[in-house]
Amino acid sequence: MSTNEATTASADKAATSAKGLDRALNALGTLMIVLSAVTPASSVFIIVPGVIALAGTGSFLSFVIAAVIGLFMAFVYAELSSAYPMAGGEYTMIGRTLGRFWGFVTLVLVFVSIVLIVAVIALGVGTYLGVLIPNLSPQLVGVVTIALAGTVAAMRIKLNAFVTGIFLGIEMLALLILMWLGFTHIERPLSSLFTAPQLLDPTTNALVPASAGIVMAATAVALFAYNGYGAAAYFGEETQDAKHNIGKVVLWALVITVAAELIPLTAVLLGSPDLVALLAAPQKIEYFLEARGGHALTVLISLAIAVAIFNAVIAIILQAARLLFSSGRDKTWFGPINAAVASVHGSYASPWIATIVVSILAAVACFIDINLLLVVSGTSLVVIYALLCVAVFVGRRSGTTDGGHYRMPLFPIPAVLAFLALIYVAYQNYLDVAFGRPSLIATGLIMVVAAVYYLLVLARRKDWNLHGPDELAG
């Protein structure tokens, strides 16, 4: 190494050390935050009804297929995050394996998606608080939710792990009640979900077979419901012995998420007193709760879901703030912006300015039409997953991931199968004129904007590099 290179490396190391995050989490604390970001209860009450509306009882198969793809993707995430347990998450993994261009495209895709996801779920708080306070403005409640959650997220990461852990317990209790109501009132055999999936024909209000194409199209949404287990990588710089622990956190988060979403879905589909009424109901889970548990229990569970959504907003803001922090540390934007978002609070050891920026952007997004929010964030996940599958191949071949302590079993089979499944899901989305194609177009436009910024700005700057903490292992 030349004298100039040594000087530059020393300066980079000093700058990184000055901006370092607090490595205060054990594996369990990280798992609590990650599960809160996944928010299984919110998925069951907000995303699962949409899958049921699309695929009927075929939603069960959609979630099973998504779980298999999710397992393969968890292997990919675990291997890459073990090699790069950094605050940039997918941006860091893909940037260090596929190159800076794809790293930046991933950064923009992930950041836009996360901000919009925060807005989408925050808008859902008003729906569930409405059982006590009717006629609430979804936008106002969403903004207040984001402001409160952002305040908590700006505190110490260890405090956030404690808070999210308590709220996570509340939402898991709500899911257990849902399971109990379904499995104690079985109306149809489990085999019917495998052999004869059905959906509701809106023109005749009768049950008709759910085709394989519909089941696969719904799988894209089911993947979205499971998504979040890979968020563990964003807390790699704050997790003790990260290279050993992050891969385990990813896999445990996926297993717990699948159980916490697939089992309640099964309970609802098997235990609903009237399948036609369930599929026709505008609020499907609420219909089931009213039918099996009564109004008082429905109100109680609704409040628990409001808590779960608030918890998810905290966890996802934490994730997005660390992504923005990482981009600032890499000097992705412009001088004052980079310095601001890469700064760490002296007392809380958190990227507090990045947290504020994320919260403001998400609050503004609350005033965008929710259908547009869903369309923009819909297909980005499939693209990011596909890039990760390619990244794990390239990382193995180039040796850039050799420093990780986790290796997926049966490599490369899980990554290949996941990639092929993602291509098929993307194809089914393309066939879906109402939702899939607009989602693909939106994702494509975001990628084009990211590519233009990279070519016009970043490619011409020599100071843009992928940095990391002084020590990856903790």
Side-chain angles (χ1 to χ4, degrees):
M1 179 182 287
S2 68
T3 303
N4 287 338
E5 288 174 330
T7 303
T8 301
S10 177
D12 282 345
K13 183 175 180 180
T16 301
S17 178
K19 300 175 182 178
L21 300 172
D22 186 12
R23 201 176 289 278
L25 293 176
N26 56 24
L28 180 60
T30 303
L31 180 61
M32 292 298 100
I33 295 176
V34 172
L35 286 174
S36 297
V38 178
T39 182
S42 298
S43 294
V44 169
F45 279 77
I46 297 174
I47 301 175
V48 164
V51 182
I52 295 175
L54 179 62
T57 61
S59 56
F60 171 82
L61 288 176
S62 297
F63 271 83
V64 169
I65 295 168
V68 175
I69 299 174
L71 179 61
F72 296 155
M73 283 308 307
F75 288 150
V76 172
Y77 263 110
E79 179 160 329
L80 290 173
S81 61
S82 175
Y84 306 117
M86 301 181 190
E90 295 94 349
Y91 154 59
T92 298
M93 301 173 194
I94 292 171
R96 289 183 177 239
T97 50
L98 302 185
R100 299 193 309 167
F101 172 81
W102 287 111
F104 181 72
V105 170
T106 301
L107 165 65
V108 175
L109 272 176
V110 174
F111 187 73
V112 171
S113 296
I114 290 179
V115 169
L116 297 184
I117 288 168
V118 170
V120 168
I121 61 177
L123 288 170
V125 173
T127 300
Y128 290 98
L129 286 181
V131 297
L132 286 183
I133 311 172
N135 302 319
L136 285 173
S137 165
Q139 289 79 15
L140 178 59
V141 175
V143 169
V144 172
T145 298
I146 291 169
L148 293 175
T151 301
V152 176
M155 303 296 179
R156 280 193 174 277
I157 191 67
K158 201 166 186 177
L159 173 63
N160 277 282
F162 177 74
V163 171
T164 54
I166 292 175
F167 288 161
L168 182 65
I170 294 173
E171 68 174 284
M172 288 300 187
L173 180 59
L175 291 177
L176 287 173
I177 293 172
L178 199 64
M179 295 179 210
W180 179 79
L181 289 174
F183 290 130
T184 54
H185 299 87
I186 297 292
E187 296 286 344
R188 51 200 63 86
L190 178 63
S191 60
S192 66
L193 303 181
F194 289 97
T195 60
Q198 298 175 301
L199 55 80
L200 189 67
D201 184 340
T203 59
T204 62
N205 205 38
L207 295 175
V208 296
S211 68
I214 288 176
V215 169
M216 287 305 300
T219 298
V221 187
L223 278 172
F224 182 72
Y226 287 145
N227 182 52
Y229 46 87
Y234 289 89
F235 305 101
E237 296 179 32
E238 295 160 286
T239 302
Q240 299 158 6
D241 197 11
K243 282 201 169 186
H244 287 90
N245 287 328
I246 290 298
K248 298 175 186 176
V249 171
V250 169
L251 295 173
W252 273 112
L254 184 276
V255 170
I256 294 171
T257 296
V258 169
E261 295 183 18
L262 182 58
I263 297 175
L265 168 63
T266 306
V268 169
L269 295 177
L270 297 182
S272 181
D274 186 333
L275 193 55
V276 172
L278 172 71
L279 300 183
Q283 303 291 333
K284 293 174 174 43
I285 306 300
E286 287 77 359
Y287 158 79
F288 173 80
L289 283 172
E290 288 278 357
R292 290 304 188 196
H295 182 67
L297 183 61
T298 301
V299 171
L300 186 63
I301 296 297
S302 295
L303 294 177
I305 300 308
V307 170
I309 296 172
F310 177 69
N311 193 34
V313 174
I314 295 174
I316 299 175
I317 288 177
L318 286 170
Q319 178 184 346
R322 276 139 187 84
L323 175 60
L324 186 57
F325 161 81
S326 181
S327 71
R329 182 173 61 189
D330 293 345
K331 300 180 180 178
T332 304
W333 315 111
F334 300 98
I337 298 175
N338 289 327
V341 299
S343 63
V344 175
H345 194 279
S347 299
Y348 300 134
S350 67
W352 65 289
I353 294 180
T355 303
I356 292 172
V357 171
V358 169
S359 300
I360 292 173
L361 292 175
V364 171
C366 286
F367 296 93
I368 301 174
D369 179 75
I370 191 167
N371 292 316
L372 180 59
L373 293 175
L374 291 171
V375 164
V376 173
S377 60
T379 311
S380 297
L381 182 63
V382 175
V383 175
I384 294 163
Y385 277 3
L387 287 172
L388 288 170
C389 289
V390 176
V392 81
F393 277 106
V394 174
R396 284 277 189 119
R397 184 173 182 179
S398 65
T400 55
T401 58
D402 287 349
H405 286 259
Y406 178 85
R407 284 287 190 263
M408 74 172 68
L410 303 177
F411 179 86
I413 295 173
V416 170
L417 292 178
F419 187 78
L420 293 176
L422 290 166
I423 291 176
Y424 185 71
V425 169
Y427 172 70
Q428 290 298 332
N429 271 327
Y430 172 75
L431 296 179
D432 184 356
V433 178
F435 178 81
R437 289 187 188 177
S439 180
L440 286 169
I441 292 171
T443 299
L445 288 174
I446 294 171
M447 294 176 71
V448 168
V449 170
V452 169
Y453 181 86
Y454 177 85
L455 294 174
L456 295 182
V457 179
L458 294 181
R460 301 181 179 187
R461 280 173 28 190
K462 298 184 181 300
D463 63 342
W464 187 66
N465 287 297
L466 298 172
H467 299 283
D470 291 343
E471 51 177 339
L472 299 182

